[in-house]
Amino acid sequence: MQTFYEIVTILFFLFQGVVALYLLIPFFSVVVYGFIKAFSIKHPFNKRKIVHDKNFEFGIIITAHQEVEFIKPLVASILGQTYQHFYIYVVADDCDTSQLQFTDPRVIILSPSPALHAKIKSIDFARKSFTREHDITLILDSDNLLHPNFLSVVNQHFQKGYRVVQADFKPKNEDSLYARIDAIGDMYNFFVDREIRMMAGMSAAIWGSGISFESALYDEIAYKTLVGGFDKKLQSTLLLKTKKIAFSTDAVLYDEKVESGSSLENQRARWMLSYFNYFKESSKIFFTGLKTLNPDFIYFGFVLLRPPQFLLFAAAFFSLVIDFFLFPGLFYAWLVIIALYIISFAAIILIRSKQIKYLKTLCMLPVFAGRQALALLKLGKASKKFLKTPHTKLVYIEDVLAKKQ
């Protein structure tokens, strides 16, 4: 019979193994990226043939809450699309809509009364207000702006048989420290959890905005809570129903990055709360993968179960200290793993941004980790009401594109 010490040692080794695997994901992602580029392996999208010779009609839902001023720039970026088969449903929740006047009949302004104060409710309100059943539903936040070719690119994915498409994100603003830190987080997550998976023929993770899907897929979703994390439930439902979520780097959406530490804390508190609220959904995907021997689902679920990065690093340094005294060989292994993580993270930021200035911001990531730790203290508050992230960058798509040139 194994002694208590042996059992604890085995569990500690398993714990270290899982943490190490999570920290090595960016390294393996960079290796896969380099391999695909070096051997000019054809992208899965380019391999697919057109299976639907039609132009899909989009029902575009804009969820706006108390920030009516951002609606006009977003609607303008949609009306300026090169692809024109769409209807726009603006859910102006708790907003004064007296100044919202559009001559295009495809723009429908909805003013729910009483106010909804929940994104899930806004989406449901918009869908019930559809003038007809549109082929595709696209969900956007009020601070978003769309590149002129956005809908054209997404339509091409549906023509090739994809049933769910996640857009790529780029920052509207990069002029403050916290905005760049927030942008770095997006670069890392979109590369590891979306771009590389798509390049490797696997399912990409979705985001809370810029997600397009066949409208009928939404009908069977039952949310556990109305406070945060709607995309986690949406993601698990879409993945289990379609078996594949596509991601396009050419469907570009610009969003506003946070400008202050308190806004960053609120944002991360919402995300961490959704991680715990929908832990069961993530587990379902993982165990479905094990049951069906589906490696895509296994990996998808494994990554969904990944704790926030700052907790992983805390676990890694805890293991590092323990191994220094008890298992010196593993101590040096941890030094290598942490070094590979840092190098890979920097490589990912260079690949995604193609700007050296973001490498300087990496030195401030301890500040980011500290803010994430403080966000843990807001979980109780986040579970009771939506912690809003204020937006201040009122710009039009022409302004953003001019800066990118």
Side-chain angles (χ1 to χ4, degrees):
M1 184 175 180
Q2 290 180 318
T3 66
F4 176 76
Y5 174 77
E6 290 173 331
I7 294 174
V8 171
T9 301
I10 292 172
L11 291 176
F12 183 55
F13 285 159
L14 288 174
F15 167 79
Q16 291 190 88
V18 172
V19 174
L21 282 175
Y22 279 133
L23 289 182
L24 286 171
I25 285 177
F27 170 71
F28 291 129
S29 297
V30 171
V31 170
V32 170
Y33 178 84
F35 181 84
I36 291 174
K37 291 295 184 180
F39 292 92
S40 301
I41 297 176
K42 200 171 184 180
H43 195 281
F45 173 79
N46 296 325
K47 292 179 182 178
R48 285 206 179 201
K49 296 181 180 179
I50 294 177
V51 295
H52 300 295
D53 187 17
K54 65 176 288 188
N55 289 322
F56 292 86
E57 184 177 87
F58 288 76
I60 303 174
I61 298 174
I62 299 174
T63 58
H65 181 254
Q66 298 177 342
E67 293 182 334
V68 68
E69 66 273 18
F70 291 92
I71 294 174
K72 286 186 177 180
L74 173 53
V75 171
S77 74
I78 299 173
L79 293 178
Q81 291 290 299
T82 57
Y83 183 89
Q84 288 288 306
H85 298 279
F86 58 78
Y87 279 77
I88 305 171
Y89 299 85
V90 180
V91 184
D93 185 31
D94 199 10
C95 295
D96 178 5
T97 60
S98 59
Q99 300 301 314
L100 286 182
Q101 298 178 2
F102 298 95
T103 57
D104 194 311
R106 294 173 299 173
V107 183
I108 299 156
I109 306 297
L110 305 171
S111 301
S113 181
L116 302 174
H117 300 297
K119 184 170 182 175
I120 294 170
K121 289 183 179 180
S122 292
I123 295 171
D124 288 341
F125 190 86
R127 283 181 50 79
K128 290 175 182 177
S129 303
F130 277 7
T131 57
R132 59 173 178 257
E133 188 62 24
H134 306 293
D135 300 315
I136 309 299
T137 295
L138 167 62
I139 297 174
L140 300 174
D141 289 335
S142 61
D143 67 306
N144 297 158
L145 293 173
L146 302 187
H147 186 281
N149 294 329
F150 182 97
L151 290 179
S152 177
V153 171
V154 174
N155 182 65
Q156 291 169 14
H157 282 72
F158 284 101
Q159 287 180 328
K160 290 196 172 186
Y162 292 108
R163 303 177 66 192
V164 185
V165 183
Q166 173 61 51
D168 199 3
F169 271 49
K170 298 201 180 290
K172 280 198 315 188
N173 55 310
E174 308 168 282
D175 51 347
S176 72
L177 171 63
Y178 283 106
R180 290 192 294 275
I181 289 177
D182 194 11
I184 282 175
D186 277 2
M187 291 175 197
Y188 172 84
N189 288 319
F190 273 77
F191 182 85
V192 170
D193 294 338
R194 295 166 183 84
E195 183 174 358
I196 287 301
R197 290 197 210 173
M198 183 67 180
M199 292 175 71
M202 303 174 71
S203 281
I206 76 166
W207 203 249
S209 183
I211 177 69
S212 304
F213 50 86
E214 292 179 1
S215 295
L217 292 172
Y218 196 84
D219 294 336
E220 298 178 22
I221 299 177
Y223 291 102
K224 176 181 178 181
T225 175
L226 297 178
V227 184
F230 94 96
D231 52 327
K232 296 291 188 297
K233 180 64 177 179
L234 177 63
Q235 176 174 256
S236 63
T237 301
L238 294 177
L239 180 64
L240 293 172
K241 281 181 172 289
T242 67
K243 313 302 181 188
K244 187 71 65 177
I245 296 176
F247 171 73
S248 175
T249 54
D250 294 325
V252 179
L253 179 155
Y254 298 94
D255 79 321
E256 183 174 329
K257 313 319 296 178
V258 299
E259 290 283 344
S260 68
S262 60
S263 293
L264 184 64
E265 289 174 23
N266 287 345
Q267 181 192 75
R268 302 298 154 154
R270 293 200 313 269
W271 293 359
M272 282 189 276
L273 180 65
S274 68
Y275 169 79
F276 293 113
N277 281 341
Y278 290 96
F279 190 86
K280 184 178 179 180
E281 298 290 338
S282 304
S283 301
K284 182 179 179 181
I285 294 175
F286 179 71
F287 287 109
T288 298
L290 290 177
K291 184 178 179 180
T292 59
L293 299 179
N294 184 327
D296 191 359
F297 277 27
I298 293 173
Y299 181 71
F300 200 108
F302 178 72
V303 174
L304 283 180
L305 293 171
R306 175 185 61 200
Q309 293 289 339
F310 81 100
L311 291 179
L312 282 177
F313 250 92
F317 280 107
F318 169 76
S319 300
L320 183 75
V321 172
I322 298 300
D323 288 337
F324 177 80
F325 295 103
L326 300 179
F327 310 104
L330 291 179
F331 168 79
Y332 292 107
W334 275 115
L335 290 179
V336 173
I337 291 170
I338 292 172
L340 287 176
Y341 178 90
I342 295 172
I343 294 170
S344 302
F345 197 107
I348 289 169
I349 301 311
L350 275 178
I351 292 170
R352 287 284 296 179
S353 71
K354 299 178 175 59
Q355 298 182 57
I356 297 295
K357 69 177 182 180
Y358 274 104
L359 290 183
K360 299 177 182 178
T361 307
L362 287 178
C363 299
M364 300 303 296
L365 286 184
V367 175
F368 174 65
R371 288 290 184 175
Q372 281 193 304
L374 291 174
L376 282 173
L377 302 177
K378 294 187 175 183
L379 288 183
K381 186 177 180 181
S383 66
K384 297 177 183 178
K385 69 174 185 177
F386 183 75
L387 295 180
K388 188 176 178 62
T389 302
H391 301 115
T392 59
K393 300 298 179 182
L394 186 60
V395 296
Y396 282 76
I397 187 62
E398 294 80 8
D399 303 320
V400 174
L401 296 178
K403 289 182 179 180
K404 303 297 179 183
Q405 293 177 352

